[in-house]
Amino acid sequence: MKYPLLFTLFLLLTANLFAQDVTLTGKITDGAGNAVPFATVYIRNTTKGTSANSDGSYTLNLKAGQYDVQYRAMGYKQESRKIDLKENQTINITLKAEDYQIKEVTIRAGAEDPAYAIIRQAIKKRKTYLNEVNAYTCEVYIKGLQKLLAAPKKFLGIDMQKIARENGLDSNRRGIIYLSESQSKYSFIRPDKVHEEIISSKFSGSNRAFTFNRASDMQVNFYENLQTWDGLSNRPLISPIADNALSYYKYKYIGLAIENGETVNKIQVIPRNEHDPCFKGYIYIIEDSWRLQSLGLYITKKSSINFVDTLKVDQQFIPVSGNAWMPASLKFEFTGGFFGFKFGGYFISLYKDYDIAPKFDRSQFAEVLRITKGVNKKDSAYWEQQRPIPLTAEEKTDYQKKAVLAAKRESKPYLDSLDKVNNKFSVGKFLLGGYSHRNRYDHEYYNFNSLISSVAYNTVEGLSLGYGGSFTKQIDSVNNRYLRIYGKVRYGFSNKLFNATGGVTMPVGSATLNLAGGSDVIDLNNREPITSFMNSAYTLLNRQNFEKLYQKQYASATLSKRIYGGWQASVGAEWANRKYLSNTTDYSFFHPKGHEFTSNNPLSPDVDVPLFPENQSFKVSMRTTYDFSNRYETYPTGKRYVPSKYPTLGISFTKAIKNVFGSDADYNLVSADLSKTDIPMGFYGKTSFYVAAGKFFNTKNISYPDYRQFAGNQVLFYQSGINKFMLLNYYQFSTGDKYVEGHLEHNFTGLLTNQIPILRNLKLQEIVDVNYLSTPTLKNYTELGVGFQTNVGLRVMYGTSFNNKVGGANQAIRIGVSF
């Protein structure tokens, strides 16, 4: 046995020597000698390949052996080279412009373009290829680059020249502002289970940050009817081979070519309406199988996309096993601009080592993303070996230059100097924006409110000043946990009441504890439906005092924790002394005809009688929510749970206990709610809803501040939300008995406005709100609102309310904000 074992070891060692990686490099140019950027280089009958960089240079690491290397780029004829690779080798390639031949068919005047017959075949096969691969794994390399192409010298008073210099840009404020690379292992199970593990990450300009590149964000499947690219487009984009594509696209047959023994048809796609969410460009479809071989498409701001002027998407497919084809590369390229800034860039992903018959432990898909400590610590030697797309000279310079800047930025002297500049006090800044003092190195932050935002006016206190501040310190960098101490003082110059509150929020194990207490003047409606600023404006300018206030002295403790996955819970206890307050001033700047101040008792507006006697309460509250999902992302700083595609169920219970610390309150309240925002409805927009119901029972003593309150609105401006009413009175219909509440909001995402040029240019979305409320006090109340909303959240609504008990209808126009 001794000699066979030695012989086997010898074979293994020598085989390993002969199997050392060798490098194939070169440059890809066109017939005029110009670089062909991002051409793909693949080994035939494998999933090994790479892409050229923006200068046309490529690098491919292989084992020694014989290969059939294929070079392909959009608009060029494919080239192949058979090589016997024994040592490092350079092969430069010249790609010729593609030469597509017209089929030998007779096209009579008025006859249908041959492209339509091909497209119909592709549409028939769409579902087959969509479901062709049920699960797979692969390795993904992603490179992202964004460049500032132009910028003003100053913007809103900010010295852009200084900022550009500090971020490594040139004297004309141009250069790379984002450069990052990542490698990941990507796993997928149809229809939507994803697990991605970042293997390595490199971010120019920071030694600590992680790449924003995600393989899951680069997943584009044109076999899906609609491409939902949230953020980029408010409407789903229609695939050129969607089931209903013929209603949105025109097609033109360009010709055919033979590649690897396959006949490939080139077809131009043209939107029937340039303002529809449709692509322009070319798709390449293989004859007989009618599958996509590649595509080069783009979409412009005429289709109401956000942030960018033009977005191009190029995708190429390769056979990976049997008849299955998978993406080999995907590139997004974009340009845009605003307010004198112009930018451009790209994200490119390369896929290799597909396994389309993997064996999975399905429990691993609860973790959507994993980034472990150290993935951003790979050195230059690692990246030189692993990087499939070679860096350009500009990118090498950017990494080198910003590595120096990163080391400087992370040093204590630099952080202290930065804090010294930013921590300078100015009167103007203090008045308008407040004052912040930061110690970045020690992760300590002091924040003081602006003086302007602390001033209010109401008929109870007159002019009031409520000034506050906070201190925050990171005490657990591993799990990103913070200690926060906050406080506020408040003084009413008319009623001469001084109040002060404070609290602390701190981690306790994996839970968070909040302790708070003091004395404050607060809204009788604990939903705070009207802001102090808006109430002040209406009180002084329009002689309408909507906000009703009372004094609350209290002490509370709340402990909250994630139990497991999407299951969260909190428990709290509060003692409070509640005191009714009366109006103490009737001053206003103006006195419009028919406008008079009402009392601070919302149920007795003409007579200022106490709404409730001074009383004490002690109550214990519990709440739990579950979003029916346990999906999370793992970072070196801990877990982040991702939003669920399912509604969130919430259950709450409150018990007021008599005679504890002198408590007068004695009641129980149980409630439940179900909500979900932005439910995709395909081309017809998104829907959000909120439904809730509650019941007080064993009620022996209850005061108005304990009632169930609702978020109404009585002013011109309002803050929209899925559990807010546009026309409801703030206080009159609160209940201490039972209630049912329902809200439905639908956003049509521009289906109608795109047909009206003046509205299209404003990028508006149509909104329909339907709200319903039932209480013993109110009986039944229904609202219907229709309007438009801009992309930044400004909303103009026309609403009508119907009150079955009071009778009649109320109509109003509201201007809302929903940032």
Side-chain angles (χ1 to χ4, degrees):
M1 291 295 293
K2 179 179 179 181
Y3 295 107
L5 178 60
L6 290 175
F7 181 68
T8 302
L9 289 174
F10 172 77
L11 287 178
L12 290 173
L13 289 171
T14 54
N16 187 56
L17 289 174
F18 284 111
Q20 292 295 311
D21 284 354
V22 290
T23 303
L24 177 65
T25 60
K27 186 165 185 176
I28 304 171
T29 57
D30 60 17
N34 299 315
V36 177
F38 304 109
T40 56
V41 183
Y42 265 87
I43 306 302
R44 187 175 181 181
N45 297 325
T46 75
T47 63
K48 296 184 181 300
T50 187
S51 169
N53 62 19
S54 58
D55 291 338
S57 298
Y58 73 92
T59 299
L60 184 58
N61 294 323
L62 298 165
K63 302 295 183 184
Q66 295 180 341
Y67 298 99
D68 185 351
V69 188
Q70 298 182 336
Y71 301 83
R72 187 197 302 171
M74 292 288 178
Y76 297 90
K77 184 178 179 181
Q78 178 179 294
E79 290 287 336
S80 298
R81 294 290 186 274
K82 291 186 178 180
I83 61 173
D84 186 3
L85 195 62
K86 297 179 179 178
E87 58 186 13
N88 293 346
Q89 189 172 344
T90 298
I91 297 179
N92 297 321
I93 294 293
T94 299
L95 295 181
K96 299 176 182 178
E98 63 182 2
D99 181 19
Y100 278 81
Q101 305 297 319
I102 300 295
K103 282 183 177 180
E104 294 183 2
V105 295
T106 301
I107 303 178
R108 293 186 296 273
E112 185 179 66
D113 191 291
Y116 286 87
I118 298 172
I119 289 296
R120 289 191 183 96
Q121 293 289 351
I123 292 173
K124 284 183 181 179
K125 299 289 287 185
R126 182 191 67 80
K127 282 188 178 180
T128 299
Y129 296 135
L130 176 64
N131 301 302
E132 183 175 40
V133 176
N134 185 57
Y136 67 87
T137 64
C138 65
E139 293 186 15
V140 187
Y141 166 83
I142 302 177
K143 180 180 180 181
L145 181 142
Q146 297 177 37
K147 297 177 71 173
L148 192 62
L149 306 176
K153 290 185 178 180
K154 285 187 175 292
F155 180 70
L156 298 177
I158 301 172
D159 187 352
M160 299 305 301
Q161 191 73 33
K162 178 182 177 183
I163 293 177
R165 184 171 58 252
E166 291 175 347
N167 286 275
L169 304 183
D170 64 21
S171 58
N172 293 314
R173 302 167 301 286
R174 294 180 302 203
I176 296 174
I177 54 176
Y178 175 84
L179 173 60
S180 181
E181 300 172 275
S182 69
Q183 294 175 298
S184 60
K185 182 69 176 289
Y186 185 78
S187 303
F188 174 84
I189 297 179
R190 189 163 300 285
D192 58 2
K193 292 186 180 297
V194 168
H195 173 73
E196 179 179 359
E197 181 174 0
I198 304 295
I199 299 170
S200 57
S201 167
K202 188 172 179 65
F203 190 94
S204 182
S206 177
N207 296 323
R208 298 180 180 179
F210 295 93
T211 178
F212 295 115
N213 303 343
R214 300 285 187 272
S216 52
D217 293 337
M218 296 286 286
Q219 292 302 299
V220 173
N221 192 339
F222 281 90
Y223 290 117
E224 297 278 2
N225 280 322
L226 300 175
Q227 310 301 304
T228 303
W229 297 351
D230 288 332
L232 178 70
S233 176
N234 296 321
R235 300 175 294 170
L237 306 175
I238 302 168
S239 168
I241 58 170
D243 290 340
N244 60 346
L246 292 170
S247 299
Y248 293 93
Y249 288 98
K250 294 184 290 186
Y251 302 90
K252 183 178 179 181
Y253 184 73
I254 303 301
L256 61 85
I258 306 299
E259 291 188 7
N260 303 322
E262 302 273 12
T263 299
V264 181
N265 298 286
K266 180 179 181 181
I267 295 173
Q268 185 178 8
V269 298
I270 307 162
R272 292 184 179 274
N273 184 332
E274 64 179 1
H275 298 292
D276 280 340
C278 296
F279 297 93
K280 300 177 183 178
Y282 299 92
I283 57 176
Y284 299 78
I285 297 176
I286 299 174
E287 187 84 12
D288 296 329
S289 65
W290 314 114
R291 67 165 71 245
L292 291 173
Q293 185 246 24
S294 57
L295 55 88
L297 302 171
Y298 69 96
I299 192 167
T300 69
K301 60 182 180 181
K302 287 185 178 180
S303 298
S304 297
I305 58 175
N306 304 321
F307 307 118
V308 299
D309 296 333
T310 301
L311 176 72
K312 299 178 181 179
V313 53
D314 293 338
Q315 190 173 32
Q316 298 196 29
F317 299 84
I318 55 172
V320 297
S321 178
N323 294 322
W325 288 55
M326 297 295 289
S329 65
L330 174 67
K331 178 168 70 75
F332 287 101
E333 192 171 359
F334 53 87
T335 57
F338 58 91
F339 300 124
F341 293 89
K342 292 183 179 180
F343 59 87
Y346 65 84
F347 283 88
I348 185 170
S349 56
L350 302 179
Y351 305 85
K352 69 175 184 178
D353 295 342
Y354 277 103
D355 180 359
I356 61 172
K359 294 182 179 179
F360 285 133
D361 176 3
R362 285 182 173 260
S363 63
Q364 78 181 70
F365 288 91
E367 183 182 58
V368 177
L369 176 71
R370 169 173 285 269
I371 303 178
T372 55
K373 192 173 182 179
V375 301
N376 59 346
K377 304 301 182 184
K378 310 289 186 180
D379 59 20
S380 298
Y382 171 89
W383 281 103
E384 285 295 325
Q385 178 66 26
Q386 296 295 323
R387 177 185 291 121
I389 303 178
L391 297 177
T392 64
E394 181 185 31
E395 292 163 355
K396 289 179 181 178
T397 300
D398 189 75
Y399 271 134
Q400 294 167 359
K401 181 168 56 176
K402 290 183 179 174
V404 176
L405 290 175
K408 177 183 176 182
R409 288 194 190 104
E410 293 166 6
S411 67
K412 188 176 188 304
Y414 176 82
L415 294 175
D416 288 345
S417 66
L418 193 64
D419 288 337
K420 185 177 181 180
V421 173
N422 293 330
N423 291 340
K424 287 183 179 179
F425 179 85
S426 72
V427 175
K429 185 178 179 181
F430 172 69
L431 289 174
L432 299 176
Y435 174 70
S436 296
H437 184 96
R438 303 178 66 178
N439 184 330
R440 300 168 197 258
Y441 190 80
D442 291 330
H443 303 288
E444 295 180 350
Y445 310 91
Y446 296 86
N447 182 69
F448 298 91
N449 297 346
S450 71
L451 189 60
I452 292 295
S453 67
S454 303
V455 176
Y457 183 82
N458 59 73
T459 54
V460 172
E461 299 173 290
L463 180 67
S464 71
L465 177 65
Y467 192 77
S470 64
F471 166 75
T472 305
K473 181 177 177 61
Q474 187 181 48
I475 59 176
D476 181 356
S477 60
V478 175
N479 297 301
N480 205 28
R481 307 293 297 279
Y482 290 85
L483 167 71
R484 182 172 182 264
I485 302 172
Y486 56 92
K488 183 184 76 171
V489 294
R490 178 167 181 154
Y491 182 74
F493 288 89
S494 178
N495 65 357
K496 296 181 172 49
L497 281 180
F498 176 82
N499 295 276
T501 59
V504 57
T505 301
M506 68 184 83
V508 178
S510 60
T512 299
L513 175 66
N514 176 257
L515 303 173
S519 176
D520 201 0
V521 174
I522 62 175
D523 198 324
L524 277 168
N525 186 330
N526 55 27
R527 304 283 292 277
E528 298 182 345
I530 184 171
T531 65
S532 293
F533 172 79
M534 189 60 62
N535 182 71
S536 299
Y538 268 82
T539 302
L540 289 170
L541 302 177
N542 210 41
R543 201 168 176 81
Q544 290 178 289
N545 57 331
F546 290 109
E547 189 178 36
K548 308 303 178 183
L549 305 165
Y550 76 104
Q551 187 181 44
K552 178 180 178 180
Q553 299 165 322
Y554 71 100
S556 67
T558 303
L559 187 69
S560 56
K561 176 180 171 59
R562 185 179 296 276
I563 306 300
Y564 174 76
W567 181 20
Q568 299 183 70
S570 64
V571 59
E574 179 193 79
W575 174 89
N577 182 82
R578 289 87 65 90
K579 182 179 180 181
Y580 176 79
L581 299 175
S582 298
N583 288 341
T584 61
T585 181
D586 64 353
Y587 175 79
S588 64
F589 292 156
F590 306 105
H591 196 153
K593 186 177 180 179
H595 286 195
E596 293 294 343
F597 287 139
T598 59
S599 78
N600 194 47
N601 183 338
L603 304 185
S604 177
D606 298 325
V607 182
D608 199 354
V609 295
L611 177 63
F612 56 87
E614 185 173 353
N615 65 85
Q616 294 77 44
S617 74
F618 178 80
K619 59 185 180 182
V620 177
S621 300
M622 292 170 280
R623 178 167 173 80
T624 183
T625 62
Y626 184 57
D627 67 3
F628 299 92
S629 174
N630 299 320
R631 298 186 309 148
Y632 62 91
E633 298 173 344
T634 302
Y635 296 90
T637 55
K639 290 181 179 180
R640 186 188 80 87
Y641 285 82
V642 300
S644 170
K645 65 179 181 180
Y646 303 105
T648 298
L649 173 65
I651 299 175
S652 302
F653 176 73
T654 300
K655 183 174 182 61
I657 307 174
K658 187 176 177 62
N659 296 327
V660 175
F661 302 118
S663 172
D664 303 305
D666 190 358
Y667 65 88
N668 299 285
L669 169 64
V670 62
S671 62
D673 53 84
L674 190 69
S675 63
K676 183 74 178 99
T677 59
D678 295 334
I679 303 169
M681 306 293 287
F683 193 54
Y684 298 99
K686 295 180 179 180
T687 287
S688 302
F689 75 88
Y690 174 87
V691 292
K695 169 70 175 173
F696 289 84
F697 61 96
N698 293 337
T699 303
K700 298 177 182 178
N701 193 0
I702 188 170
S703 184
Y704 186 89
D706 300 314
Y707 282 14
R708 167 66 180 187
Q709 315 287 343
F710 305 100
N713 186 70
Q714 295 175 259
V715 299
L716 175 63
F717 298 93
Y718 80 110
Q719 291 179 312
S720 60
I722 61 168
N723 59 349
K724 296 183 178 181
F725 292 88
M726 187 170 59
L727 299 167
L728 186 69
N729 185 282
Y730 295 127
Y731 304 98
Q732 288 185 5
F733 306 118
S734 302
T735 184
D737 189 355
K738 55 182 177 290
Y739 68 92
V740 175
E741 183 179 2
H743 305 256
L744 176 67
E745 174 185 295
H746 189 79
N747 185 328
F748 285 101
T749 61
L751 286 180
L752 302 178
T753 54
N754 275 278
Q755 310 307 318
I756 307 172
I758 190 171
L759 296 180
R760 182 195 309 130
N761 294 336
L762 293 174
K763 293 187 178 180
L764 298 177
Q765 308 161 37
E766 301 86 8
I767 305 291
V768 172
D769 281 335
V770 181
N771 303 320
Y772 171 78
L773 177 63
S774 176
T775 71
T777 308
L778 180 60
K779 198 174 180 182
N780 295 319
Y781 175 90
T782 304
E783 280 187 359
L784 173 64
V786 294
F788 299 97
Q789 175 177 299
T790 67
N791 284 356
V792 296
L794 183 65
R795 171 183 294 208
V796 180
M797 297 286 290
Y798 173 78
T800 301
S801 66
F802 305 92
N803 190 328
N804 292 354
K805 183 172 184 178
V806 178
N810 181 31
Q811 298 179 344
I813 293 177
R814 297 286 187 252
I815 300 174
V817 289
S818 54
F819 295 105

